[in-house]
Amino acid sequence: QVQLVESGGGLVQAGGSLRLSCAASGRTFNIDAMLWYRQAPGQQRELVADISSGGSTGYADSVKGRFTISRDNAKNTVYLQMNSLKPEDTAVYICTAETVAGNYWGQGTQVTVSS
């Protein structure tokens, strides 16, 4: 089992920045890739960014150049640095860990960007 706890969400004005964190505990040695999804009200869950165990990253087109995903394997933590935030970035941001035993999900953290 892997437990994930997100933090760092909040209310920010358009153009501002936030840094989300996702701390993993439990059987963390099983974790391969870690991902950030987001879900806005009435919309499908969207993959925002992912990072492999080796550090390779991927981003949704909507956040490229503005968001940066990183991970600290020693701390079992993945981060999402979000810059130049837009109102359309408003959503619950959810951390996911991929393991050979399956995927684990956090509870999410709310990000609200005001115009």
Side-chain angles (χ1 to χ4, degrees):
Q1 291 281 350
V2 174
Q3 294 78 42
L4 301 170
V5 178
E6 301 98 332
S7 61
L11 173 64
V12 64
Q13 288 188 332
S17 299
L18 283 174
R19 188 193 194 206
L20 305 183
S21 299
C22 173
S25 60
R27 301 176 72 84
T28 58
F29 57 87
N30 281 334
I31 295 176
D32 185 10
M34 297 195 75
L35 306 89
W36 283 99
Y37 284 83
R38 67 185 180 188
Q39 186 158 23
Q43 297 188 20
Q44 289 190 328
R45 187 169 291 181
E46 175 189 20
L47 177 61
V48 175
D50 61 88
I51 184 166
S52 71
S53 57
S56 297
T57 59
Y59 298 93
D61 288 342
S62 58
V63 307
K64 277 181 183 176
R66 300 188 298 122
F67 290 12
T68 303
I69 189 171
S70 61
R71 68 192 286 175
D72 184 335
N73 291 328
K75 295 182 178 180
N76 296 313
T77 300
V78 63
Y79 305 97
L80 187 67
Q81 178 66 43
M82 306 186 295
N83 299 329
S84 303
L85 283 161
K86 305 174 181 180
E88 51 263 44
D89 294 319
T90 295
V92 175
Y93 283 71
I94 307 157
C95 174
T96 303
E98 290 187 344
T99 77
V100 293
N103 293 353
Y104 295 89
W105 298 79
Q107 292 297 309
T109 184
Q110 177 70 46
V111 171
T112 303
V113 184
S114 63
S115 56

